[in-house]
Amino acid sequence: MTKVRALVLERQHELKLRDIDLPQTVGQGQVRIKIHTVGVCGSDVHYYTHGRIGPFVVEAPMVLGHEAAGTIVEIGEGVEHLEIGDRVCMEPGIPDPNSRASRLGLYNIDPAVRFWATPPVHGVLTAHVVHPANYTFKIPDSISFGEGAMVEPFAVGMQAATKAKISPGDTAVVLGAGPIGTMVAIAALAGGCSRAIIADFAQPKLEIAAGYQGVIPVNLREEDLMREVKHLTNGWGADVVFECSGSPKAWETLLDLPRPGGAVVVVGLPVAPVPFDIATASTKEVRIETVFRYAHQYERAIALMASGRVDLKPLISATFAFEDSIAAFDPGGAGPPAPRVHHDPPAPLFVAGGGQRV
């Protein structure tokens, strides 16, 4: 272990930039990366404001940050596909390669997975990180470090689109226009959907999502989503519905949206169990899929971004130097961030390392 400067969540509502012991020795099959940019995810903010997410409780100081990109500065023994100087982004979940889940290719649901900034595992809001080379991916010069950090949340969208089994020309509905909902819509369109109807109560989020061709925004304060879906599908319903809001209320009418034989992909996580209309799901033979993070999506996500078909730059809302990183969570310095600013921001925030800004 080596003492390095990092952004540490000491406990709920308390952040400090201070020295903390983190692993810095490069072993076999590993690389050391100089961090350039780290995204501030909703989970980072949630740990700060609530001190926990479900069963994951902050019981000891923890470094935040899991959406990251940087440059390789050291290569461990046995690493052949990466070189010093490569620009990279990193998949933050490290599974047990010998687990049954990993051997089945389902490494994202390996019970033993160690995921950055998920208690008790430290994140990467620091200067350098050591990481397995097999979960480190080169990004081309056409992709900025800021965009490289966004590969992580976009991979969630890619996982959702993959689980949906989209057919060319499908109509999608996305509930929730936060960062993940918007990236799900982008991934669904890239995967073959002809249009993605995205619904939310927050107009600023909808305006960002509506900047993408094929996205149809619906403000739930002013419009009836079911009426809009029926209108656009001639009364048939959506081929696939992505639930990305995590709101229990969404489940009250969610199964009215898919067509007979359609699909529902659950991305958002309600904080408590929700009622589920089994009768409607059965009579419509709705296929239900769930998403937990992602598996095998980074290379596909990077390829789409490099091709120019997916542009995530409009989703970058703000950038902070590393020494100002506390301000990314608490701009006023007076407690938890205001919800309208950071708790559920319309787009990701970023912290740039080394005093650089993206």
Side-chain angles (χ1 to χ4, degrees):
M1 292 288 185
T2 303
K3 281 198 177 294
V4 296
R5 190 164 171 78
L7 180 68
V8 181
L9 177 62
E10 304 286 1
R11 58 186 61 83
Q12 184 182 4
H13 295 167
E14 184 180 343
L15 289 168
K16 285 185 180 178
L17 275 170
R18 66 169 177 89
D19 289 346
I20 188 171
D21 285 327
L22 294 177
Q24 295 291 297
T25 302
V26 178
Q28 184 172 6
Q30 295 181 323
V31 294
R32 188 166 181 252
I33 302 134
K34 181 180 180 181
I35 299 294
H36 185 285
T37 304
V38 178
V40 177
C41 178
S43 65
D44 295 314
V45 177
H46 202 86
Y47 282 125
Y48 171 55
T49 56
H50 294 81
R52 66 182 300 156
I53 296 178
F56 301 104
V57 182
V58 179
E59 297 178 335
M62 180 182 75
V63 178
L64 290 174
H66 65 265
E67 305 172 359
T71 304
I72 293 179
V73 294
E74 188 177 348
I75 300 285
E77 183 182 350
V79 177
E80 298 181 353
H81 68 288
L82 296 169
E83 299 177 353
I84 291 174
D86 281 346
R87 303 167 72 255
V88 295
C89 60
M90 297 78 76
E91 191 167 337
I94 307 171
D96 173 1
N98 296 314
S99 71
R100 188 167 185 173
S102 292
R103 288 185 283 112
L104 287 170
L106 305 172
Y107 63 86
N108 57 312
I109 51 175
D110 176 10
V113 70
R114 293 175 57 81
F115 199 91
W116 285 342
T118 300
V121 182
H122 287 303
V124 294
L125 266 166
T126 186
H128 294 85
V129 66
V130 174
H131 199 58
N134 285 341
Y135 295 91
T136 302
F137 301 88
K138 287 193 285 189
I139 56 175
D141 291 340
S142 61
I143 295 178
S144 70
F145 285 111
E147 293 168 276
M150 296 180 72
V151 171
E152 196 279 336
F154 185 50
V156 177
M158 295 285 289
Q159 183 81 355
T162 300
K163 296 292 286 286
K165 299 178 182 177
I166 293 166
S167 294
D170 275 356
T171 293
V173 171
V174 180
L175 302 179
I180 293 298
T182 300
M183 293 198 193
V184 166
I186 295 168
L189 291 166
C193 283
S194 60
R195 53 194 172 182
I197 305 163
I198 189 164
D200 205 294
F201 290 94
Q203 187 61 28
K205 298 180 185 179
L206 291 169
E207 289 173 358
I208 292 171
Y212 288 91
Q213 185 176 359
V215 171
I216 302 171
V218 173
N219 188 322
L220 296 174
R221 296 184 188 277
E222 304 170 356
E223 303 172 75
D224 185 295
L225 177 60
M226 189 66 239
R227 185 182 298 118
E228 186 69 14
V229 172
K230 285 185 176 180
H231 170 70
L232 291 171
T233 63
N234 295 318
W236 180 233
D239 298 291
V240 58
V241 177
F242 297 95
E243 205 308 284
C244 302
S245 72
S247 170
K249 191 170 180 60
W251 286 92
E252 294 177 7
T253 56
L254 185 145
L255 291 174
D256 295 335
L257 297 170
R259 64 168 173 81
V264 170
V265 181
V266 185
V267 183
L269 298 177
V271 295
V274 297
F276 181 72
D277 185 354
I278 294 175
T280 298
S282 295
T283 55
K284 294 176 76 171
E285 285 201 352
V286 172
R287 175 170 55 88
I288 308 293
E289 298 280 358
T290 58
V291 168
F292 184 66
R293 297 171 179 159
Y294 39 76
H296 313 291
Q297 298 296 348
Y298 261 56
E299 290 179 318
R300 294 174 180 270
I302 293 167
L304 275 172
M305 294 165 67
S307 73
R309 291 186 61 194
V310 168
D311 179 11
L312 301 182
K313 290 190 293 294
L315 301 182
I316 299 176
S317 59
T319 304
F320 299 79
F322 174 69
E323 290 300 320
D324 299 328
S325 55
I326 291 176
F329 293 81
D330 187 4
R340 65 183 180 86
V341 179
H342 292 304
H343 185 263
D344 189 11
L349 303 156
F350 287 90
V351 176
Q356 302 179 56
R357 295 180 180 271
V358 296

